[in-house]
Amino acid sequence: MTLDPRSGCPIATTLDYIGDRWTLVIVRDLLNGKKRYSEFLESPERITTNVLADRLSKLERSGLAEKSLYQARPKRFEYQLTAMGKDLLPILHAMCRWGNAHVPDTWEPPQSFMSL
């Protein structure tokens, strides 16, 4: 399932998928090996539980991520990026380079991430 884009502009359409404050942070965490709800809550940005649940659901609906059951009682899920979601990596790399070049005091991303 895909989202309903507001126009045919590729920038606007991409922003319909990932253009909020949290989605790319969650994608970053998924690329770095986080899979479970509790792991996302440990990130330094301190996303709230209701926003996290909403963004994970949006990632799934948009085809960027998928979830799988890892515990039946209570039901608990793990998340992973789809091929479409993994294709966001070059965008995240570019954002890291831009932020480091233009925004003082931004963290240097780990080489392990930049070499993915």
Side-chain angles (χ1 to χ4, degrees):
M1 171 190 267
T2 60
L3 301 177
D4 187 24
R6 61 192 139 143
S7 80
C9 171
I11 294 170
T13 300
T14 301
L15 289 173
D16 289 338
Y17 280 75
I18 60 170
D20 63 68
R21 183 177 182 161
W22 294 105
T23 300
L24 286 178
V25 172
I26 296 168
V27 170
R28 174 207 65 194
D29 286 350
L30 286 161
L31 286 164
N32 281 302
K34 292 185 179 185
K35 295 179 180 182
R36 297 181 179 179
Y37 197 85
S38 61
E39 294 172 328
F40 299 115
L41 292 174
E42 295 169 357
S43 293
E45 292 82 13
R46 300 170 52 146
I47 190 170
T48 61
T49 56
N50 60 320
V51 172
L52 176 58
D54 178 70
R55 293 317 182 278
L56 287 169
S57 177
K58 183 179 176 184
L59 282 167
E60 189 179 7
R61 285 191 323 272
S62 66
L64 294 169
E66 56 193 11
K67 69 180 179 181
S68 58
L69 188 68
Y70 75 88
Q71 179 180 308
R73 288 184 183 220
K75 284 188 177 182
R76 295 191 186 196
F77 297 92
E78 289 183 336
Y79 296 84
Q80 64 182 22
L81 292 172
T82 62
M84 183 177 157
K86 290 176 185 175
D87 282 347
L88 292 168
L89 182 61
I91 294 169
L92 292 176
H93 284 162
M95 291 176 75
C96 287
R97 287 190 296 275
W98 186 92
N100 287 155
H102 299 288
V103 182
D105 302 320
T106 53
W107 302 333
E108 193 71 33
Q111 187 56 39
S112 60
F113 177 74
M114 295 303 286
S115 63
L116 286 175

